Coordinates of all heavy atoms in Angstrom, one line a residue:
Chain A
L424 N 137.5 -154.0 174.5 CA 137.0 -155.4 174.3 C 135.7 -155.6 175.2 O 134.8 -156.2 174.7 CB 138.0 -156.3 174.7 CG 139.2 -156.5 173.6 CD1 140.3 -157.4 174.2 CD2 138.7 -157.1 172.4
E427 N 132.7 -153.7 173.5 CA 132.4 -154.2 172.2 C 131.5 -155.5 172.2 O 130.8 -155.8 171.3 CB 133.7 -154.5 171.5 CG 133.7 -154.2 170.0 CD 135.1 -154.5 169.4 OE1 135.9 -153.5 169.5 OE2 135.3 -155.6 168.9
G428 N 131.6 -156.3 173.3 CA 130.8 -157.5 173.4 C 129.8 -157.3 174.6 O 129.5 -156.2 175.0
N429 N 129.3 -158.4 175.0 CA 128.4 -158.4 176.2 C 129.0 -159.2 177.3 O 128.8 -160.4 177.3 CB 127.0 -159.0 175.8 CG 126.3 -158.1 174.8 OD1 126.2 -156.9 175.0 ND2 125.8 -158.7 173.7
H430 N 129.9 -158.6 178.1 CA 130.6 -159.3 179.1 C 130.0 -159.0 180.5 O 130.3 -158.0 181.1 CB 132.1 -158.8 179.0 CG 132.8 -159.1 177.7 ND1 133.3 -160.4 177.4 CD2 133.0 -158.3 176.6 CE1 133.7 -160.4 176.2 NE2 133.6 -159.2 175.7
L443 N 140.5 -162.2 180.0 CA 140.1 -160.9 179.7 C 139.8 -160.2 181.1 O 140.3 -159.1 181.4 CB 138.8 -160.8 178.9 CG 138.3 -159.4 178.6 CD1 139.2 -158.6 177.7 CD2 136.9 -159.4 177.9
P462 N 126.0 -155.3 171.6 CA 125.6 -155.9 170.3 C 124.7 -157.1 170.4 O 124.7 -157.7 171.5 CB 127.0 -156.4 169.7 CG 127.8 -156.7 171.0 CD 127.3 -155.7 172.0
R464 N 124.1 -160.6 169.7 CA 125.0 -161.8 169.3 C 124.3 -163.1 169.7 O 123.5 -163.1 170.7 CB 126.3 -161.7 170.0 CG 127.2 -160.4 169.6 CD 128.5 -160.8 169.2 NE 129.4 -159.7 169.1 CZ 130.5 -159.5 169.9 NH1 130.9 -160.5 170.7 NH2 131.3 -158.5 169.7
A465 N 124.5 -164.1 169.0 CA 123.8 -165.4 169.2 C 124.5 -166.3 170.2 O 125.7 -166.2 170.4 CB 123.7 -166.1 167.8
L475 N 128.3 -172.5 172.8 CA 129.1 -171.4 172.1 C 128.3 -170.0 172.3 O 127.1 -169.9 171.8 CB 129.2 -171.6 170.5 CG 129.7 -170.6 169.7 CD1 131.2 -170.3 170.0 CD2 129.6 -170.9 168.2
D476 N 128.9 -169.1 173.1 CA 128.2 -167.9 173.4 C 129.0 -166.7 172.8 O 130.0 -166.3 173.3 CB 128.1 -167.7 174.9 CG 127.3 -166.5 175.3 OD1 127.1 -165.6 174.4 OD2 126.8 -166.4 176.4
L477 N 128.5 -166.2 171.7 CA 129.3 -165.2 170.9 C 129.3 -163.9 171.6 O 130.0 -163.0 171.3 CB 128.8 -165.1 169.5 CG 129.0 -166.4 168.6 CD1 128.5 -166.2 167.2 CD2 130.4 -166.8 168.6
N478 N 128.4 -163.7 172.6 CA 128.4 -162.4 173.4 C 129.7 -162.2 174.0 O 130.1 -161.1 174.2 CB 127.3 -162.5 174.5 CG 125.9 -162.4 174.0 OD1 125.5 -161.4 173.4 ND2 125.2 -163.6 174.0
R479 N 130.4 -163.3 174.4 CA 131.7 -163.2 175.1 C 132.9 -163.3 174.2 O 134.0 -163.2 174.7 CB 131.7 -164.3 176.2 CG 130.5 -164.2 177.1 CD 130.4 -165.5 177.9 NE 129.3 -165.5 178.8 CZ 128.8 -166.6 179.4 NH1 129.4 -167.8 179.1 NH2 127.7 -166.5 180.2
C480 N 132.7 -163.5 172.9 CA 133.9 -163.7 172.0 C 134.7 -162.4 171.8 O 134.1 -161.3 171.7 CB 133.3 -164.2 170.7 SG 134.7 -164.6 169.5
I481 N 136.0 -162.6 171.9 CA 136.9 -161.5 171.6 C 137.7 -161.6 170.4 O 138.6 -160.8 170.1 CB 137.8 -161.2 172.8 CG1 138.6 -162.5 173.1 CG2 137.1 -160.8 174.1 CD1 139.8 -162.4 174.0
M482 N 137.3 -162.5 169.5 CA 137.9 -162.7 168.2 C 139.4 -162.9 168.3 O 140.1 -162.4 167.4 CB 137.6 -161.5 167.3 CG 136.3 -161.7 166.5 SD 134.8 -161.8 167.3 CE 134.5 -160.0 167.6
C483 N 139.9 -163.7 169.2 CA 141.3 -164.0 169.3 C 141.7 -165.0 168.3 O 142.9 -165.2 168.1 CB 141.7 -164.4 170.7 SG 141.0 -166.0 171.2
E484 N 140.7 -165.8 167.8 CA 141.0 -166.8 166.8 C 141.7 -168.1 167.4 O 142.2 -168.8 166.6 CB 141.7 -166.3 165.6 CG 141.0 -166.6 164.3 CD 141.8 -166.2 163.0 OE1 143.0 -166.5 162.9 OE2 141.1 -165.5 162.2
L485 N 141.8 -168.2 168.7 CA 142.4 -169.4 169.3 C 141.7 -170.7 168.9 O 142.3 -171.7 168.6 CB 142.7 -169.2 170.8 CG 143.9 -168.5 171.2 CD1 143.9 -168.1 172.7 CD2 145.2 -169.4 170.9
C486 N 140.4 -170.6 168.9 CA 139.6 -171.8 168.6 C 139.7 -172.2 167.1 O 139.7 -173.3 166.8 CB 138.1 -171.6 168.9 SG 137.3 -170.2 168.1
G500 N 135.7 -170.5 162.1 CA 136.3 -169.6 161.1 C 136.0 -168.2 161.5 O 135.0 -168.0 162.3
L501 N 136.7 -167.2 161.1 CA 136.4 -165.9 161.3 C 135.9 -165.3 160.0 O 136.5 -165.4 159.0 CB 137.7 -165.1 161.8 CG 137.6 -164.1 162.8 CD1 136.9 -164.6 164.1 CD2 139.0 -163.6 163.2
T508 N 133.3 -158.3 162.2 CA 134.0 -159.6 162.3 C 133.4 -160.5 163.4 O 133.0 -160.0 164.4 CB 135.5 -159.3 162.7 OG1 136.0 -158.3 161.9 CG2 136.3 -160.6 162.6
H509 N 133.2 -161.7 163.0 CA 132.7 -162.6 164.0 C 133.1 -164.1 163.7 O 133.4 -164.4 162.6 CB 131.2 -162.5 164.2 CG 130.4 -162.8 162.9 ND1 130.3 -161.9 161.9 CD2 129.8 -164.0 162.5 CE1 129.6 -162.5 160.9 NE2 129.3 -163.7 161.3
I510 N 132.9 -164.9 164.7 CA 133.2 -166.4 164.6 C 132.0 -167.0 163.8 O 130.9 -166.7 164.1 CB 133.5 -167.0 166.0 CG1 134.7 -166.5 166.6 CG2 133.4 -168.5 165.9 CD1 136.0 -167.1 166.1
T511 N 132.4 -167.9 162.8 CA 131.3 -168.7 162.3 C 131.7 -170.2 162.5 O 132.8 -170.5 162.7 CB 131.2 -168.5 160.7 OG1 132.5 -168.6 160.2 CG2 130.5 -167.2 160.4
C534 N 139.6 -171.6 174.6 CA 139.0 -170.2 174.7 C 139.5 -169.4 176.0 O 139.3 -170.0 177.1 CB 137.5 -170.3 174.7 SG 136.7 -168.7 174.7
P535 N 140.1 -168.3 175.8 CA 140.5 -167.5 177.0 C 139.4 -166.9 177.8 O 139.6 -166.4 178.9 CB 141.5 -166.5 176.4 CG 141.0 -166.3 175.0 CD 140.4 -167.6 174.6
V536 N 138.3 -166.7 177.1 CA 137.1 -166.1 177.8 C 136.0 -167.1 177.9 O 136.2 -168.3 177.7 CB 136.6 -164.8 177.0 CG1 137.7 -163.8 177.1 CG2 136.4 -165.1 175.6
G537 N 134.8 -166.7 178.1 CA 133.7 -167.6 178.3 C 132.8 -167.9 177.1 O 131.7 -168.3 177.1
A538 N 133.4 -167.8 175.8 CA 132.7 -167.9 174.6 C 132.4 -169.4 174.3 O 131.4 -169.8 173.8 CB 133.4 -167.3 173.4
I539 N 133.4 -170.2 174.6 CA 133.3 -171.7 174.4 C 133.4 -172.4 175.7 O 134.4 -172.3 176.4 CB 134.3 -172.3 173.4 CG1 134.2 -171.6 172.1 CG2 134.2 -173.8 173.3 CD1 135.3 -172.0 171.1

Side-chain angles (χ1 to χ4, degrees):
Chain A
L424 285 170
E427 217 178 271
N429 295 309
H430 298 280
L443 179 67
R464 299 226 193 123
L475 176 64
D476 186 344
L477 296 180
N478 288 293
R479 302 164 182 166
C480 180
I481 54 166
M482 269 66 83
C483 68
E484 231 183 51
L485 272 167
C486 59
L501 215 54
T508 311
H509 61 279
I510 290 285
T511 50
C534 184
V536 293
I539 300 176

